[in-house]
């Protein structure tokens, strides 16, 4: 934050609203392009109110969708570039297995891209990664490129480089009003700022921010249970198994998918989550959910009994995170249909962290009026009817 005794700067080349991982990388790319950039954050940093906190996220090449599969090599490269710029380790290679029915079309798509030699049946999986148990008709596709991103560390790193390039972060300033025009005016609880270009990456708060600008984006914030599970007998699961990531595709027991990460946050505990949650007002995220039913925990417990029998069936630690989902779970990366100097990045649906370096580059390119590095047709606002 700017020192209170100093005059507060008002005019910038670009303003980015939201200092989560997507907004921070957008600001980073703008600053690298020599744009005097202001990054606004409503909460004091660091905080755990949004979607970018915590120690770990999965990064993987195993994507069934072509548009994501094309973007991921660039994402790996840009993460490595950030590591080199900061001298900070941000990624640990662990490998990942995708579990699902052998005939599932999405799993087959991953298999084709990763190679037939990466498919493991139940016996091969159990031999290579003890602790995992497949059932009749199921296979595991191995993604040896995959690993874990150190999330909190990554967010600090990208913000550090942004500042190093002359960028300004003002946290603890909630945006009250956005006035479009050739120069966009942003009024916050701490001041009034102006710039010829604005990027909105406000996570679960994006919908209310853009509604006064004539957009009703179909964004649904979800409260996700993030759970950590102990081994029944400490040390009974092999080191390889505990250090491996996994996710499911097409399993009837996991209609929205389940994913798991190795022991990082809590030694000796695997992190397992159901890729779904309960609708939530982000302003009330810290309130306990109504009622006592936790269907996501029941789904995870049942999955563990069937597929990871060496783990306890009740979580030892439970935390929460926010997803902001679109109906099709694809991102929104687009210019405002009416105000072309306002760009929106939203709806990352619980799988956007790994793509943040590329998302930031694309949002930067959009805000500068350049041709994006990738086709943004899958991420267009207009794919949703009636939003304007």
């Amino acid at each position: 934050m700017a020192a209170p005794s100093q005059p507060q700067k008002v005019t910038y080349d670009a303003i980015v609203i939201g200092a989560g991982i997507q907004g921070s990388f957008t600001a980073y790319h703008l600053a690298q392009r020599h744009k005097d950039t202001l990054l606004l954050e409503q909460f004091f940093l660091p905080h755990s109110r949004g979607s970018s906190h915590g120690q770990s996220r999965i990064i993987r090449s195993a994507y069934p969708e072509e548009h994501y599969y094309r973007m991921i090599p660039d994402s790996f490269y840009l993460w490595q570039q950030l590591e080199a710029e900061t001298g900070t380790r941000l990624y640990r290679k662990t490998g990942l297995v995708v579990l699902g029915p052998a005939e599932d079309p999405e799993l087959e798509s991953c298999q084709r891209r990763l190679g037939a030699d990466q498919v493991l049946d139940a016996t091969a999986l159990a031999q290579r990664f003890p602790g995992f148990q497949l059932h009749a008709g199921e296979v595991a596709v191995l993604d040896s490129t995959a690993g874990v991103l150190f999330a909190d560390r990554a967010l600090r790193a990208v913000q550090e480089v942004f500042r190093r390039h002359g960028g300004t972060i003002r946290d603890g300033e909630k945006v009250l009003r956005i006035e479009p025009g050739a120069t966009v005016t942003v009024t916050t609880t701490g001041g009034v700022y102006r710039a010829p270009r604005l990027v909105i990456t406000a996570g679960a708060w994006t919908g209310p921010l853009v509604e006064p600008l004539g957009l009703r984006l179909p964004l649904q914030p979800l409260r996700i249970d993030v759970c950590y599970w102990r081994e029944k007998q400490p040390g009974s699961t092999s080191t390889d198994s505990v250090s491996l990531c996994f996710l499911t595709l097409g399993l009837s027991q996991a209609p929205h998918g389940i994913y798991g990460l190795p022991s990082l946050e809590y030694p000796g505990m695997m992190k397992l989550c159901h890729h779904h949650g309960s609708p939530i007002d982000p302003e009330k995220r810290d309130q306990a959910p109504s009622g006592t039913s936790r269907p996501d925990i029941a789904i995870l417990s049942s999955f563990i009994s069937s597929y990871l029998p060496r783990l306890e069936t009740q979580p030892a630690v439970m935390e929460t995170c926010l997803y902001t989902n679109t109906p099709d779970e694809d991102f929104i990366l687009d210019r405002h249909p009416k105000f072309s100097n306002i760009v929106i990045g939203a709806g990352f649906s619980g799988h956007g962290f790994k793509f943040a370096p590329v998302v930031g580059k694309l949002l930067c390119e959009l805000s500068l009026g350049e041709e994006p590095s990738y086709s943004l047709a899958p991420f267009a606002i207009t794919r949703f009817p009636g939003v304007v």
Side-chain angles (χ1 to χ4, degrees):
M1 292 180 63
S5 60
Q6 297 175 343
Q8 186 168 303
K9 184 173 175 179
V10 170
T11 304
Y12 293 85
D13 295 330
I15 298 171
V16 180
I17 299 174
I21 196 65
Q22 312 295 350
S24 294
F25 260 113
T26 302
Y28 159 93
H29 283 289
L30 284 163
Q32 281 196 322
R33 303 287 291 275
H34 308 292
K35 300 302 177 186
D36 185 12
T37 304
L38 171 64
L39 179 58
L40 290 170
E41 171 56 48
Q42 65 173 322
F43 303 113
F44 288 105
L45 295 170
H47 69 84
S48 59
R49 300 290 301 278
S51 303
S52 296
H53 66 284
Q55 293 186 41
S56 58
R57 298 290 191 280
I58 293 174
I59 184 168
R60 56 187 164 102
S61 299
Y63 257 94
E65 300 89 354
E66 180 69 23
H67 46 282
Y68 293 121
Y69 182 70
R70 287 180 178 177
M71 290 162 63
I72 200 67
D74 196 12
S75 195
F76 270 108
Y77 169 76
L78 290 170
W79 280 116
Q80 290 166 0
Q81 187 178 77
L82 182 63
E83 283 187 316
E85 284 182 280
T86 59
T88 305
R89 188 184 182 202
L90 304 176
Y91 163 70
R92 187 175 90 186
K93 187 175 180 179
T94 64
L96 171 144
V97 286
V98 188
L99 313 176
E103 306 301 320
D104 181 78
E106 290 189 326
L107 192 67
E108 288 180 338
S109 177
C110 292
Q111 176 184 330
R112 284 193 301 273
R113 293 187 173 122
L114 295 171
D117 60 334
Q118 301 292 73
V119 180
L120 308 175
D121 61 16
T123 302
L125 180 69
Q127 288 175 345
R128 189 159 180 179
F129 305 111
F132 285 95
Q133 178 175 285
L134 288 177
H135 304 282
E138 296 172 353
V139 296
V141 176
L142 177 63
D143 178 354
S144 57
T145 71
V148 175
L149 293 167
F150 304 129
D152 283 343
R153 197 185 300 177
L155 187 60
R156 288 194 301 272
V158 69
Q159 290 171 356
E160 174 193 325
V161 178
F162 168 63
R163 284 194 178 101
R164 201 186 296 166
H165 283 284
T168 301
I169 299 178
R170 295 193 66 88
D171 59 350
E173 292 197 24
K174 185 178 179 66
V175 172
L176 302 175
R177 186 167 64 256
I178 299 168
E179 299 169 56
T183 297
V184 183
T185 301
V186 178
T187 303
T188 76
T189 51
V192 179
Y193 310 98
R194 296 180 178 88
R197 53 186 65 84
L198 171 69
V199 183
I200 300 172
T201 52
W205 289 265
T206 300
L209 266 183
V210 301
E211 197 165 322
L213 301 175
L215 282 183
R216 287 183 177 271
L217 298 180
L219 299 173
Q220 176 61 72
L222 298 176
R223 184 181 190 270
I224 306 298
D225 290 318
V226 180
C227 303
Y228 301 85
W229 311 73
R230 284 196 182 97
E231 295 172 292
K232 290 178 179 175
Q233 294 181 335
S236 65
T237 307
S238 79
T239 303
D240 283 347
S241 180
V242 171
S243 65
L244 187 74
C245 297
F246 78 89
L247 60 88
T248 70
L249 282 176
L251 291 180
S252 58
Q253 271 190 278
H256 296 280
I258 289 172
Y259 60 91
L261 292 86
S263 170
L264 282 172
E265 283 91 336
Y266 301 99
M269 297 188 201
M270 284 194 74
K271 176 179 177 180
L272 268 75
C273 304
H274 187 214
H275 194 71
H276 194 60
S278 308
I280 188 76
D281 177 347
E283 297 289 350
K284 301 176 181 177
R285 171 191 161 167
D286 295 331
Q287 294 181 10
S290 58
T292 57
S293 175
R294 304 296 285 267
D296 296 320
I297 306 301
I299 288 170
L300 288 168
S301 295
S302 175
F303 174 83
I304 286 170
S305 296
S306 295
Y307 291 87
L308 292 163
R310 296 186 185 183
L311 297 183
E312 297 283 357
T313 56
Q314 293 300 315
V317 178
M318 287 176 52
E319 299 173 346
T320 61
C321 187
L322 280 183
Y323 285 6
T324 306
N325 277 30
T326 61
D328 57 13
E329 297 190 1
D330 280 331
F331 312 155
I332 291 173
L333 308 173
D334 205 351
R335 297 183 181 94
H336 189 291
K338 185 176 179 182
F339 310 113
S340 61
N341 60 343
I342 297 178
V343 172
I344 300 162
F348 295 99
S349 303
H351 67 112
F353 197 100
K354 66 183 75 63
F355 291 106
V358 178
V359 165
K361 181 170 78 169
L362 290 166
L363 294 174
C364 170
E365 290 166 346
L366 283 174
S367 72
L368 296 176
E370 299 175 354
E371 184 69 22
S373 299
Y374 299 89
S375 169
L376 295 186
F379 311 118
I381 287 173
T382 51
R383 76 185 191 268
F384 302 116
V387 297
V388 181

